[in-house]
Amino acid sequence: MVDKNKVFQWVDSHSEEAVDLLKDLIRIPSVNPYFKDEVRLQKEGRIQEYLKNYIEQLGFETELTYPDAQKLIQYKDKAGYMADHTFADRPNLYGVLKGTGKGKSIFLSGHTDVVATGTKWTHSPYEAEQDGDCIYGRGSVDMKGGIAAMIFAVKAILECGVHLAGDVKIGTVVDEESGGMGTLALMAEGYRADACLLTEPTSLNMAPLCRGILWGKIIVEGQAGHIELQRQDWRKGGAVDAIDKAAYILDYFDQLNKEWEVTKVHKYLPIPCQVKFAQFDAGEYPTTFANRAELTFDAQYLPKEKDVDGLGGNVKKEIEKFVFDVAQTDPWLKENVPEVEWILDADCGETSDKEEFFHVFSNAVRQVVPASQIIGNPAHVDMGWFCNVGIPTFIFGPGNPMQCHQADEHIAKSEFIEAVKAIASTVMDWCGTDE
């Protein structure tokens, strides 16, 4: 029987080598072009080449594939498809390390793209500066820490002479931060495994599900008029304040959210699904009642609410009907029903606690991190497509999710090293080992 402690001790004695891998990844800027950051920071192709060379040295067979909207046209109504996304020098990386053929396979996956650099950094975002236990940099948490941890976990296993029975497959993808077309393309290529570990940051907790996310906009029409004069009835051409009507609608959404607090909950999620308004745009001049208002919102949905395309169509209809019903309670809105415009639908996924991988994974992690909890991921990650094709999937990785997308994003070295051990433990237990 393999002595896991030997692997764990090797990781501890080579922790600086693991950190060097992470720092190398941070020092290759890989901002998703969606964010229109400086072109010199958009090096998704370069980071994939680095990872390709690294895992080839471990014995992986690799290939780079490029998502193509035209080739994926059959998925145009499915999760992740973006007709206008292009992928020049933005490849996915796939690699496989063959086992002896006697065990189960595992996918280790993560995204290499990061969000825009942002402002107000006190540490350089791409120098991988280390201050005590903290390693700073854009992508350190989201999610180069997870990618470095999963790859170094495999290296630790191999360096200790452990022979895996099942295959280890690595898929690092692009475009997660702007819709998930990278993972869609990876699955469309036909790559499969018996289980998947998505190494997004979870503070070393174990997430068997993530929520779906809808972005939408409610467009409320008004009727312009001089704001300083007495208003006539709108039926006689008087002004209607779109801001006032938008506020009317917002009050009703408070009631809907109270209902959702009871009906849209999950035993593994710390918070219920809600409709949260993030942007308000209205009016033209300070002296004129707003003739139009736009309310932009974020709404979450549960895996059980997915439609036949694996998306949030059912919840879209629910929100559209709610807005229509609210409009029936106000004379102006009844004749000028607000339009709901949809901006984004990011899918979700869930792994049942009846799955074998659920129990193997949780036991393997707790051998390293006894305090690790099973808790759902409230935000969207690239979990949905793995689940859609029947691969039981967990989200697990180093780093506090609250650090994602922030200035001075940083990861704790100690937690990163614990993640390496926990992933190694999972790979050995799931894939099996041959003496």
Side-chain angles (χ1 to χ4, degrees):
M1 186 173 184
V2 171
D3 181 6
K4 284 187 178 180
N5 287 325
K6 179 182 177 182
V7 176
F8 300 157
Q9 289 166 8
W10 188 93
V11 172
D12 285 331
S13 64
H14 292 78
S15 61
E16 290 306 314
E17 184 181 345
V19 169
D20 286 343
L21 170 59
L22 171 57
K23 288 181 176 179
D24 281 351
L25 299 184
I26 293 170
R27 288 173 181 142
I28 304 174
S30 52
V31 176
N32 189 309
Y34 170 85
F35 296 99
K36 296 179 172 54
D37 216 329
E38 299 176 63
V39 173
R40 68 181 182 86
L41 301 177
Q42 300 171 12
K43 297 179 179 177
E44 290 169 281
R46 184 177 159 196
I47 196 170
Q48 296 287 45
E49 286 285 355
Y50 177 98
L51 292 169
K52 178 178 182 291
N53 292 335
Y54 194 99
I55 66 174
E56 282 178 350
Q57 293 175 29
L58 300 181
F60 279 80
E61 299 173 10
T62 68
E63 60 180 311
L64 296 174
T65 60
Y66 293 80
D68 185 311
Q70 189 57 44
K71 290 181 179 178
L72 295 168
I73 192 69
Q74 63 180 302
Y75 299 97
K76 66 182 180 66
D77 296 321
K78 306 290 185 180
Y81 185 81
M82 302 288 178
D84 60 342
H85 285 207
T86 58
F87 293 90
D89 199 28
R90 304 180 64 206
N92 285 336
L93 168 64
Y94 172 75
V96 58
L97 180 72
K98 294 288 187 179
T100 63
K102 302 176 183 177
K104 296 188 241 354
S105 60
I106 191 168
F107 234 127
L108 303 176
S109 187
H111 65 87
T112 53
D113 60 319
V114 300
V115 297
T117 309
T119 59
K120 299 185 178 179
W121 286 77
T122 63
H123 294 265
S124 174
Y126 301 112
E127 293 298 325
E129 295 176 3
Q130 187 167 350
D131 184 358
D133 194 42
C134 295
I135 302 162
Y136 289 83
R138 175 58 80 222
S140 56
V141 172
D142 188 15
M143 60 170 294
K144 295 177 180 181
I147 289 174
M150 74 191 197
I151 290 174
F152 205 78
V154 178
K155 179 170 185 175
I157 292 169
L158 298 175
E159 290 288 343
C160 290
V162 176
H163 300 285
L164 294 171
D167 297 346
V168 177
K169 302 180 180 184
I170 284 177
T172 55
V173 302
V174 296
D175 211 45
E176 189 272 350
E177 295 290 2
S178 61
M181 199 160 172
T183 294
L184 164 59
L186 191 73
M187 293 295 97
E189 292 284 348
Y191 303 125
R192 300 289 185 269
D194 296 315
C196 175
L197 188 57
L198 195 62
T199 57
E200 289 271 10
T202 62
S203 297
L204 301 186
N205 290 313
M206 300 172 282
L209 79 153
C210 74
R211 297 194 293 188
I213 305 296
L214 295 171
W215 292 353
K217 182 185 294 184
I218 300 173
I219 301 169
V220 183
E221 298 294 343
Q223 199 157 273
H226 201 301
I227 206 167
E228 298 161 9
L229 303 180
Q230 184 176 6
R231 276 191 285 177
Q232 291 184 319
D233 188 286
W234 60 267
R235 298 171 187 85
K236 298 178 181 179
V240 176
D241 184 5
I243 293 176
D244 180 57
K245 297 304 179 185
Y248 181 85
I249 293 170
L250 285 173
D251 284 342
Y252 275 87
F253 270 98
D254 287 341
Q255 299 175 28
L256 180 67
N257 279 331
K258 288 178 182 178
E259 179 183 329
W260 280 22
E261 285 176 0
V262 178
T263 60
K264 294 184 185 285
V265 295
H266 191 287
K267 64 180 179 180
Y268 291 132
L269 283 170
I271 52 177
C273 296
Q274 296 279 269
V275 182
K276 295 290 188 181
F277 288 86
Q279 294 173 270
F280 189 103
D281 184 20
E284 298 173 299
Y285 310 106
T287 57
T288 303
F289 284 109
N291 67 347
R292 182 183 175 96
E294 296 183 355
L295 301 165
T296 303
F297 63 88
D298 177 306
Q300 310 91 45
Y301 62 93
L302 300 172
K304 68 180 182 181
E305 298 179 292
K306 290 195 296 186
D307 61 20
V308 293
D309 292 319
L311 292 168
N314 296 322
V315 181
K316 287 181 180 179
K317 291 177 183 177
E318 181 180 353
I319 292 173
E320 288 168 352
K321 183 179 185 303
F322 180 79
V323 171
F324 179 84
D325 289 346
V326 170
Q328 304 313 299
T329 67
D330 176 88
W332 168 263
L333 293 175
K334 186 174 182 179
E335 292 195 17
N336 301 272
V337 177
E339 176 188 355
V340 181
E341 179 182 300
W342 296 105
I343 302 169
L344 176 142
D345 188 345
D347 63 332
C348 52
E350 180 174 9
T351 294
S352 167
D353 52 16
K354 294 179 174 60
E355 290 279 356
E356 180 186 5
F357 184 59
F358 191 106
H359 302 286
V360 172
F361 173 68
S362 56
N363 289 335
V365 168
R366 284 177 176 149
Q367 290 173 26
V368 179
V369 191
S372 181
Q373 300 179 22
I374 294 176
I375 184 169
N377 201 58
H380 172 261
V381 299
D382 268 352
M383 182 182 190
W385 266 109
F386 292 104
C387 295
N388 288 349
V389 298
I391 304 174
T393 302
F394 255 90
I395 310 163
F396 173 86
N400 182 347
M402 299 297 288
Q403 284 288 323
C404 296
H405 305 186
Q406 291 193 355
D408 282 342
E409 179 182 351
H410 63 275
I411 192 169
K413 172 187 172 182
S414 54
E415 186 172 307
F416 168 65
I417 295 302
E418 289 298 283
V420 174
K421 296 177 189 176
I423 295 169
S425 177
T426 299
V427 171
M428 288 185 284
D429 282 0
W430 181 251
C431 294
T433 58
D434 286 341
E435 297 299 325

